């Protein structure tokens, strides 16, 4: 009896292991002779360039100071560091010998040409929404780039997390297969926006919180905001903290120009997103705005928005710099640029009482902006804000943030501010890496 039980258990274990192995197994796809550059039509390559921008391929596949798309950009995760790979057409160290089918499989299924599973920091769980025509254009673009010799670097992760076959288990748990299909009952414009936002532009990769295994949380948690690389990407659903509700026009302006008078600027990683989307035509950005206007319950009521902006600007102006250390710091370090005496704020002088950085659940973005400023390449083109990392200490930054929170929002105080400031100051800045590109 006992013997039979052991045998039954053994059978179950063996079947399980074999099952997982079968599931994990992906064949290598045959290498090809690198195609001639001239075999790709110029219009297709141009379309691919536009799409590569909107997928931020360069952001992740270019190391600071390195050749574009040669990989080697370090991505720190809770499980260790993973370096992006070389996606130039070098035959040995890049994707020069990848067929279009191998490229498509990588984007759709997270599997390399040799059959190895890729880690989900590569956002294939969004890229699987990209349609065949767009993948064809991306392939044409990458196969016509300047080849770079740059071998892949092994992930720095503890065993067994570094075992690629185990990624099959992760996929089983979290990967939802399937290309984007239009959602009926919504306009063609809305569907175009959803296609771009959920696929190539993977907005939710930063704007949705992740679970303990690094997978984006779904359903009610989608787009409820998350901290990425030390910045806070605010919720893009109805819980968005902007004091004046977003409208479709404001969303469009923010994505197109990186700044709006009623909501402030796109800094940090969001500045790279705005640059990336830059080559998309207006109607595509309008479509993305329409899609998020729906998600965020945006209201197109310019008169109400203007009245609210007026009221918030007036109450920010009335916040007296008496007594409080944060108030005095604001008066000396910030007010010269951030004080709006007119009833309507100017885009170049963001009114902090209107900014999600001050009203959000998490202070990271406000602290980053105070420490590192906003570069000329972020927010409004050619306009910058200086950083205060060298002139203000942790306690000073913390008291300034606390005072802004108290006088310009109706939200509870942020806990542990000095500690958060110290941690963000110590972390490597993403903007330093971007500046090199
Ligand atoms: C958020 C960062 C990120 C973005 C954005 C990104 N990638 Fe990647 N990509 C990675 C990382 C990291 C890897 C390596 C994963 C691994 O080693 O398992 C990778 C791997 C790949 C691979 C497999 C290459 C190989 O040698 O195995 C291809 C192909 C690829 N990316 C293409 C693209 C394209 C095309 C885009 C833009 C549409 C893009 N990636 C955008 C991070 C990114
Ligand atoms: C790589 C991470 C990342 C991706 C991808 C990303 N965002 Fe963001 N987003 C951020 C961060 C960080 C902020 C905060 C920037 C700031 O306040 O300066 C932000 C801010 C925003 C805001 C302003 C919200 C507010 O209330 O102030 C909007 C709107 C927005 N993103 C929309 C989008 C859309 C639409 C996409 C996809 C097309 C997208 N984001 C993709 C990181 C990202
Ligand atoms: C020399 C002028 C100047 C000073 C001084 C200055 N700022 Fe700014 N600030 C700007 C400009 C300009 C922008 C918009 C940046 C852009 O478009 O590149 C900005 C943007 C911001 C934003 C919006 C960021 C976002 O993501 O929307 C915040 C928050 C902010 N500043 C806070 C402060 C605080 C707090 C101080 C004082 C410690 C300060 N600023 C001092 C000019 C300044």
């Amino acid at each position: 009896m006992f013997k039979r039980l052991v045998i039954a258990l053994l059978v179950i274990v063996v079947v399980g292991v074999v099952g997982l192995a079968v599931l994990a197994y992906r064949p290598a796809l045959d290498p090809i002779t690198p195609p001639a550059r001239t075999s790709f039509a110029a219009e297709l390559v141009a379309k691919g360039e536009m799409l590569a921008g909107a997928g931020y391929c360069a952001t992740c596949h270019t190391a600071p100071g390195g050749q574009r798309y040669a990989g080697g950009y370090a991505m720190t995760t809770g499980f260790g560091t993973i370096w992006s790979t070389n996606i130039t057409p070098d035959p040995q160290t890049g994707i020069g010998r990848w067929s279009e089918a191998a490229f498509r499989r990588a984007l759709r299924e997270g599997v390399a040409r040799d059959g190895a599973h890729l880690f989900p920091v590569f956002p294939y769980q969004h890229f699987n929404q990209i349609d065949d025509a767009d993948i064809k254009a991306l392939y044409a673009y990458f196969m016509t780039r300047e080849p770079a010799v740059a071998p892949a670097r092994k992930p720095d992760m503890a065993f067994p997390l570094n075992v690629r076959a185990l990624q099959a288990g992760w996929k089983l748990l979290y990967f939802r297969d399937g290309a984007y299909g239009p959602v009926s009952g919504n306009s063609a414009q809305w569907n175009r926006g959803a296609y771009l936002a959920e696929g190539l532009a993977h907005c939710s990769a930063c704007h949705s919180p992740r679970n303990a295994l690094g997978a984006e949380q779904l359903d009610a948690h989608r787009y409820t905001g998350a901290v990425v690389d030390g910045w806070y990407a605010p919720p893009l659903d109805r819980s968005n903290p902007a004091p004046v509700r977003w409208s479709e026009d404001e969303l469009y302006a923010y994505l197109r120009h990186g700044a709006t008078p009623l909501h402030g600027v796109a800094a940090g990683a969001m500045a790279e997103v705005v640059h990336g989307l830059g080559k998309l035509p207006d109607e595509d950005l309008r479509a993305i705005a329409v899609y998020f206007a729906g998600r965020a319950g945006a209201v197109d009521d310019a008169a109400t928005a203007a009245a609210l902006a007026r009221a918030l600007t007036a109450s920010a102006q009335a916040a007296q710099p008496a007594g409080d250390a944060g108030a005095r710091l604001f008066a000396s370090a910030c007010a010269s640029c951030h004080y709006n005496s007119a009833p309507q704020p100017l885009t170049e002088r963001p009114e902090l009482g209107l900014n999600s950085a001050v009203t959000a659940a998490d202070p990271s973005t406000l602290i980053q902006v105070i420490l590192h400023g906003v570069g000329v390449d972020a927010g409004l083109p050619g306009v910058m804000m200086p950083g205060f990392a060298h002139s203000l200490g942790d306690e000073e930054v913390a008291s300034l943030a606390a005072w802004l929170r108290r006088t310009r929002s109706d939200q509870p105080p942020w806990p542990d501010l000095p500690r958060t400031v110290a941690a963000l100051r110590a972390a490597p800045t993403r903007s330093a890496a971007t500046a090199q590109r």
Side-chain angles (χ1 to χ4, degrees):
M1 176 67 192
F2 180 69
K3 208 168 145 194
R4 238 189 282 166
L5 193 69
V6 170
I7 290 172
L9 276 175
L10 266 176
V11 168
I12 290 171
V13 168
V14 169
V15 167
V17 168
V18 170
L20 253 184
V22 167
L23 205 96
Y25 175 74
R26 282 307 213 288
L29 298 182
D30 289 338
I32 57 164
T33 313
R37 277 178 185 229
T38 46
S39 62
F40 299 99
E43 310 83 76
L44 197 61
V45 174
K47 179 180 174 191
E49 178 178 18
M50 177 186 88
L51 298 172
Y56 333 119
C57 316
T59 306
C60 287
H61 281 278
T62 311
Q67 187 179 324
R68 210 168 160 82
Y69 303 124
Y73 175 78
M75 299 190 66
T76 329
T77 72
F79 312 101
T81 304
I82 295 160
W83 284 269
S84 66
T85 47
N86 179 357
I87 53 170
T88 72
D90 180 61
Q92 261 68 50
T93 62
I95 60 168
R97 308 196 69 196
W98 287 41
S99 59
E100 189 179 320
F103 183 78
R104 190 183 320 116
R105 185 175 71 170
L107 262 58
R108 292 258 177 86
E109 298 173 40
V111 176
R113 188 193 64 73
D114 65 4
H117 288 278
L118 297 164
F119 292 101
V121 285
F122 166 46
Y124 62 83
Q125 68 274 36
H126 291 282
F127 291 165
N128 70 348
Q129 310 278 307
I130 307 174
D131 67 22
D132 287 351
D134 283 353
I135 288 184
K136 196 178 193 57
L138 282 165
Y139 181 71
Y141 174 68
F142 282 103
M143 294 311 265
T144 50
R145 293 310 90 205
E146 197 56 46
V149 180
R153 206 167 148 177
K154 275 211 159 48
D156 181 11
M157 280 189 284
F159 180 84
L161 293 172
N162 57 355
V163 177
R164 287 191 179 269
L166 291 183
Q167 291 303 317
W170 191 94
K171 285 179 177 171
L172 196 62
L173 289 172
Y174 301 118
F175 182 55
R176 289 166 307 156
D177 209 355
Y180 183 78
V183 179
S184 62
N186 290 295
S187 66
Q189 191 183 29
W190 185 97
N191 273 298
R192 174 70 184 158
Y195 167 75
L196 289 166
E198 297 302 335
L200 192 57
H202 57 278
C203 313
S204 84
C206 292
H207 285 275
S208 295
R210 290 174 187 263
N211 69 17
L213 284 177
E216 279 171 42
Q217 294 184 34
L218 302 176
D219 306 323
H221 296 286
R222 291 201 77 204
Y223 292 114
T224 55
V227 174
V228 265
D229 289 338
W231 287 74
Y232 184 64
L236 296 182
D237 65 357
R238 280 163 195 271
S239 67
N240 178 275
V244 175
R245 296 207 75 160
W246 287 91
S247 65
E248 185 197 305
D249 282 344
E250 284 271 310
L251 281 165
Y252 166 80
Y254 186 85
L255 296 172
R256 180 87 287 176
H257 308 296
T260 82
L262 299 183
H263 293 94
V265 302
M270 194 58 203
E272 292 162 28
V273 169
V274 170
H275 291 311
L277 301 176
K279 285 209 158 68
L280 289 182
D282 277 346
E283 56 273 23
D284 277 348
L285 288 187
R286 183 56 77 171
I288 297 176
V290 165
Y291 175 63
F292 282 105
R295 283 201 163 266
V299 276
D300 280 310
D301 179 353
T304 307
L308 187 53
R310 225 170 11 249
L312 288 164
T313 307
S315 85
Q317 284 160 7
Q320 283 309 311
D324 188 292
R328 282 197 303 274
L329 281 168
F330 184 78
S332 57
C334 323
S336 60
C337 296
H338 284 289
Y339 183 82
N340 285 285
S341 56
Q344 290 294 322
L346 298 171
T347 315
E348 311 77 59
R349 301 175 75 81
E351 175 48 60
L352 303 185
L354 297 175
N355 203 294
S356 291
V358 175
T359 53
D362 183 286
S364 300
T365 295
L366 179 60
I367 294 169
Q368 293 282 12
V369 171
I370 298 176
L371 288 176
H372 304 297
V374 180
V376 278
D377 55 344
L380 288 165
V383 176
M384 57 99 67
M385 164 177 155
F388 292 84
H390 299 296
S391 46
L392 299 179
D394 294 348
E395 291 289 341
E396 289 173 313
V397 175
S399 65
L400 184 49
W403 182 74
L404 286 170
R405 177 80 162 175
R406 202 161 65 243
T407 56
R408 280 156 177 80
S409 84
D410 51 8
Q411 300 297 309
W414 286 307
D416 266 350
L417 272 174
R419 245 199 16 215
T420 314
V421 178
L424 289 176
R425 190 195 289 274
T429 64
R430 191 182 169 108
S431 46
T434 352
Q436 313 225 5
R437 272 203 296 282

